[in-house]
Amino acid sequence: MKVCLVGNQNSGKTSLFNVLTGMNQKVGNWPGVTIDRKEGIIKSTDIQIIDLPGVYSLNPFTSEEKITRDFLLNEEYDVILNIIDSTSIERSLYLTTQLLDLNKNVVVALNMCDLLAKKGFHVHEDMLSKLLKVPVIKISALKNEGIDDLINAIKNQNNSYKSIKIFESDIENSIDKLSENIESNKRYNALKIIEDDTLYLKSEHPEAKEIIDNLYSRYQKRMDEVIADQRYNFIVKNKDKYFHADKDEETTSDKIDKVILNKYLAIPIFILIMALVYFLSVGLVGSFTVDGIDYLINLLKDSVENGLNSINAFPWLTSLICDGIITGVGAVLNFVPQLIILFICISVLETVGYMARISFFLDKVFRKFGLSGKSIIPFIVGSGCSVPGIMTTRTIENEKEKKTTIMLTPFIPCSAKLPIITLFTTFFFGSLAWLVSLSLYFLAIVIILLSAILLKKFYMKGESENYILELPEYKTPSFKYVSRDVIEKVWSFIKRAGSVIFICSILVWFLSSFSWTFTYGVPIEQSILASIGNILAYPFYPVIGELSWASTVSALLGLVAKEQVVSSMSVIAGLAETVEDGSLIFAQNGIFGFFTPLSAYSYMVFVLFSAPCIGAIGAMRREFKSLKTTFKAVAYQTLLAYILASLITGVGSLIMLFI
Ligand code: GDP
Ligand code: MG
């Protein structure tokens, strides 16, 4: 026997899958965790179970929905196990009505029943079962309740299921008429023809045109919308039968939400929380850990240098190891403590349920700009790394909105950009570093919103998608989840330092230690890197208001990985031998010494908003599925960064003239 597990994102599919199979798949609080299907055997039975990606409907828009829909339509299986978050039952039943159209055995598992009482909700599973004509079982995947009943219900399926009538009679009649000429999945396919789904050509069904024209003349609306409306109608109309909520009881979550999601307070609170996050990570922790680690790295460098000198190693080898590798990789590792704090903060905000709330609130704001709250999730995930951020855009159905979101996700400061932000802000803005960092974070949000308007106007016209999200209960963050999440992210940062940054630092060292005739030890101004940079420095002039080859090539090397900007600067500054201390590369230093707070800020703006790293560009290409669109997106990002940074330098210098 083969069972497939279908449900909305976050309904507890993976949790139930783990309970049923005894396996340990990652349970995530975010949509998009289960992107591919997973298979297992239900404990002490021979029933095979498949965990499919979470979907809100069977309309094949996102790649996840394609996986799930294709599986349901084309593969062999015996039972659909539809899991529902019983605390947001109305939304979940939409998918259920679509599953019922498939004419397969369906068992409904009402999950999260442990939360019902707390919320003051009552669900009558018998009534629901009568309405849907399928077994409905209350369970809690978390507390391991009702699981045996569920397994029994699955075992007792006997292929006798007949679809129920959901729509108004003219549509139901049309379905019946169309079904006569359809071979398999009659009801589902008939509905697709009525909805005028592009995958189901009307032309193959000559009788369809008349039927659809008749329906259209009655409803005067797109039929897919009519069908969707009637599905909701069916759910809402019958709600009293299966659902009841205690009116007066206000849960703690509701009370907290009254403050946090208050019309006037929500945005200030959001700003305050993000300020605290930056204050903790960049300000408080940054100020005393960076120097400490820097000291350790210098200690390592000195002792390696002494060691190598004492065995009379080649000078170039000593320089390669100390000035290239240790300086380059060390410049990036400096920031690990801050990243840990940043990741802990974000992860806690995620698991507590705050991020879901702010995305719910910002939905209203974003909608005015042609994006929906769904775009926020890629942005939030993108604050760790753009690559998974871009990948979560798969959950956005609306193609235009998805493209816009992919294009804008790299604007969010990812963890690799944090070293750049911290280095510059700490050096030029001292105790106000966290505030300046925060300003960059909000600048990113403003840029995203303005870009969204721009793209909507000139490039991607269209409606933004309805965001169906009901707020989860506030939860105390689980130590296990947070620590796993943080370790995973920090580890991937460290791995990059050990691979990409390692190799790139060697390259930077090589290019800045050798001249075109491959003579070692030339003054850095005669190096290969300097000669390339000297040409590129001209177009880069408006950004920082200086001709600086070193800043130019460092910014360019950010394409490999954004941390590399900091790493390259340290290597170049170290080789220029003006300053010993890697973190103080700006002090009295000929090569970077021109930086003022103003040019430092515009330099940061350029590096943060211009083309993302190769990894993110690759992810963009995969999701766009088009090289041309990817190219356009990168060009847009870079041009925007260029204009913005030039404006800051230009206007800023003008203002400086007058004060
Ligand atoms: P999926 O996206 O459908 O695979 O959902 P997950 O299995 O990843 O679960 C989403 C979240 O809901 C996790 O934080 C789970 O711990 C939580 N969860 C799952 N089942 C239950 C349940 O029965 N009760 C409660 N309170 N939480 C649950
Ligand atoms: Mg899952």
Side-chain angles (χ1 to χ4, degrees):
M1 197 165 176
K2 214 170 178 178
V3 176
C4 47
L5 190 52
V6 188
N8 293 171
Q9 281 145 7
N10 267 327
S11 57
K13 287 181 308 302
T14 307
S15 307
L16 178 61
F17 181 84
N18 289 345
V19 170
L20 287 172
T21 60
M23 286 164 79
N24 191 16
Q25 297 286 2
K26 185 179 154 114
V27 178
N29 214 352
W30 283 102
V33 172
T34 315
I35 287 180
D36 291 312
R37 57 187 224 219
K38 309 213 166 61
E39 307 189 6
I41 303 284
I42 297 183
K43 270 187 289 188
S44 57
T45 65
D46 53 1
I47 304 173
Q48 196 188 357
I49 183 159
I50 297 140
D51 182 14
L52 292 171
V55 294
Y56 287 107
S57 76
L58 293 183
N59 305 339
F61 287 123
T62 70
S63 49
E64 291 165 301
E65 276 169 347
K66 274 200 189 85
I67 295 177
T68 302
R69 181 206 57 159
D70 289 346
F71 184 93
L72 291 172
L73 287 182
N74 305 328
E75 305 224 5
E76 292 285 320
Y77 57 89
D78 305 290
V79 178
I80 298 173
L81 175 52
N82 175 211
I83 179 165
I84 284 180
D85 175 353
S86 56
T87 60
S88 58
I89 192 162
E90 212 172 305
R91 172 190 67 182
S92 317
L93 285 176
Y94 185 81
L95 175 66
T96 311
T97 62
Q98 287 192 321
L99 295 174
L100 294 176
D101 290 336
L102 294 171
N103 266 344
K104 288 279 181 4
N105 295 313
V106 176
V107 173
V108 173
L110 282 175
N111 192 31
M112 315 238 180
C113 277
D114 53 308
L115 297 177
L116 282 176
K118 269 188 224 159
K119 287 202 152 194
F121 293 166
H122 305 277
V123 176
H124 309 294
E125 68 268 36
D126 300 343
M127 299 301 287
L128 192 59
S129 171
K130 234 180 239 165
L131 185 69
L132 305 176
K133 301 212 164 53
V134 297
V136 178
I137 316 289
K138 274 186 172 168
I139 65 163
S140 165
L142 189 73
K143 305 250 155 93
N144 208 339
E145 286 164 8
I147 304 298
D148 291 337
D149 293 345
L150 185 64
I151 296 176
N152 283 334
I154 293 170
K155 282 183 183 158
N156 290 337
Q157 288 305 300
N158 52 6
N159 287 322
S160 63
Y161 179 72
K162 286 270 174 296
S163 303
I164 53 165
K165 304 226 176 292
I166 291 171
F167 308 106
E168 286 178 21
S169 55
D170 48 357
I171 293 184
E172 288 292 350
N173 293 338
S174 308
I175 294 172
D176 291 342
K177 248 186 260 167
L178 283 169
S179 299
E180 288 163 16
N181 295 324
I182 298 173
E183 271 161 32
S184 61
N185 287 319
K186 288 171 189 268
R187 189 175 162 88
Y188 176 85
N189 284 327
L191 270 164
K192 285 289 147 193
I193 296 171
I194 294 177
E195 286 176 351
D196 201 11
D197 195 307
T198 45
L199 293 173
Y200 298 81
L201 292 176
K202 276 187 276 193
S203 53
E204 287 174 25
H205 299 272
E207 76 286 7
K209 194 177 174 327
E210 196 195 328
I211 296 176
I212 293 169
D213 287 347
N214 276 342
L215 286 175
Y216 184 77
S217 65
R218 157 141 192 237
Y219 289 102
Q220 298 287 334
K221 225 172 140 185
R222 283 176 46 178
M223 281 314 289
D224 53 341
E225 285 173 24
V226 175
I227 301 268
D229 284 349
Q230 295 199 5
R231 277 187 205 283
Y232 274 120
N233 265 344
F234 172 78
I235 296 163
V236 174
K237 182 174 76 192
N238 292 299
K239 193 170 181 185
D240 288 345
K241 294 186 192 153
Y242 59 79
F243 183 87
H244 171 73
D246 300 338
K247 281 252 159 45
D248 315 320
E249 250 177 77
E250 205 177 43
T251 62
T252 326
S253 283
D254 293 337
K255 281 182 206 143
I256 301 175
D257 281 342
K258 274 217 171 122
V259 182
I260 283 188
L261 294 183
N262 176 289
K263 234 189 334 194
Y264 306 105
L265 292 179
I267 298 280
I269 289 178
F270 177 51
I271 294 177
L272 219 67
I273 288 180
M274 290 317 292
L276 187 68
V277 168
Y278 275 93
F279 176 71
L280 285 177
S281 53
V282 176
L284 208 60
V285 176
S287 55
F288 61 85
T289 56
V290 168
D291 285 348
I293 298 192
D294 211 43
Y295 176 78
L296 290 179
I297 289 171
N298 275 317
L299 213 63
L300 174 75
K301 202 163 106 180
D302 288 344
S303 54
V304 170
E305 196 164 356
N306 290 336
L308 286 170
N309 284 340
S310 71
I311 57 164
N312 287 327
F314 298 113
W316 65 263
L317 185 67
T318 312
S319 173
L320 167 65
I321 294 176
C322 295
D323 305 329
I325 296 171
I326 298 182
T327 305
V329 174
V332 166
L333 290 183
N334 260 346
F335 299 96
V336 166
Q338 278 150 297
L339 277 177
I340 293 177
I341 303 297
L342 183 75
F343 290 152
I344 291 177
C345 292
I346 301 277
S347 188
V348 166
L349 288 175
E350 262 179 43
T351 41
V352 161
Y354 180 72
M355 287 306 193
R357 283 178 162 72
I358 199 67
S359 90
F360 175 81
F361 183 84
L362 288 181
D363 183 40
K364 279 182 244 161
V365 183
F366 270 44
R367 210 171 271 272
K368 297 204 179 93
F369 296 91
L371 292 169
S372 76
K374 260 199 178 172
S375 317
I376 301 232
I377 294 168
F379 296 154
I380 291 170
V381 176
S383 67
C385 171
S386 300
V387 174
I390 290 168
M391 274 165 61
T392 44
T393 58
R394 285 179 198 172
T395 55
I396 300 174
E397 283 161 27
N398 183 311
E399 199 58 31
K400 285 167 185 163
E401 193 180 326
K402 177 174 157 179
K403 280 195 176 149
T404 311
T405 309
I406 295 173
M407 198 179 275
L408 302 181
T409 301
F411 285 151
I412 289 287
C414 68
S415 58
K417 291 172 180 170
L418 194 76
I420 306 170
I421 298 179
T422 317
L423 179 67
F424 279 84
T425 54
T426 317
F427 192 79
F428 288 101
F429 302 95
S431 60
L432 290 180
W434 63 275
L435 204 63
V436 179
S437 310
L438 187 71
S439 81
L440 286 162
Y441 183 82
F442 282 99
L443 182 63
I445 295 182
V446 171
I447 297 286
I448 284 172
L449 291 178
L450 292 182
S451 296
I453 301 182
L454 212 69
L455 291 174
K456 190 177 165 153
K457 220 173 190 126
F458 296 109
Y459 177 52
M460 298 163 175
K461 295 197 173 73
E463 280 297 298
S464 61
E465 191 181 320
N466 258 328
Y467 188 41
I468 28 177
L469 178 108
E470 269 163 62
L471 294 177
E473 289 280 310
Y474 281 104
K475 294 195 174 101
T476 31
S478 116
F479 178 76
K480 211 169 111 196
Y481 180 83
V482 172
S483 54
R484 191 148 114 182
D485 189 44
V486 172
I487 288 170
E488 205 170 274
K489 286 181 183 159
V490 171
W491 183 232
S492 86
F493 183 84
I494 292 177
K495 267 198 300 208
R496 262 210 321 277
S499 53
V500 180
I501 306 298
F502 178 87
I503 290 170
C504 208
S505 298
I506 294 179
L507 187 77
V508 172
W509 172 85
F510 176 81
L511 291 177
S512 43
S513 300
F514 285 83
S515 68
W516 284 105
T517 53
F518 294 105
T519 329
Y520 168 71
V522 292
I524 196 163
E525 299 291 347
Q526 291 164 28
S527 67
I528 301 175
L529 201 63
S531 70
I532 299 172
N534 273 324
I535 300 168
L536 298 176
Y538 286 97
F540 202 66
Y541 179 83
V543 171
I544 41 178
E546 283 285 335
L547 279 178
S548 159
W549 67 267
S551 318
T552 309
V553 290
S554 300
L556 200 68
L557 284 161
L559 268 177
V560 179
K562 288 288 170 180
E563 308 94 307
Q564 187 58 43
V565 176
V566 166
S567 196
S568 304
M569 285 186 144
S570 301
V571 173
I572 294 171
L575 285 175
E577 277 183 341
T578 33
V579 165
E580 284 284 277
D581 182 352
S583 81
L584 294 179
I585 55 173
F586 303 107
Q588 332 120 24
N589 185 317
I591 284 188
F592 295 105
F594 66 87
F595 269 121
T596 60
L598 177 67
S599 55
Y601 196 86
S602 63
Y603 188 72
M604 275 191 288
V605 166
F606 180 79
V607 176
L608 298 188
F609 294 118
S610 59
C613 68
I614 299 276
I617 295 177
M620 281 164 68
R621 210 209 82 86
R622 279 195 299 281
E623 299 305 323
F624 279 141
K625 298 187 181 71
S626 147
L627 201 61
K628 207 172 126 198
T629 318
T630 312
F631 181 77
K632 274 195 213 159
V634 171
Y636 172 76
Q637 291 158 343
T638 309
L639 196 67
L640 182 102
Y642 188 79
I643 294 173
L644 202 64
S646 307
L647 271 178
I648 293 174
T649 300
V651 175
S653 317
L654 268 182
I655 295 172
M656 298 293 230
L657 275 183
F658 289 105
I659 52 174

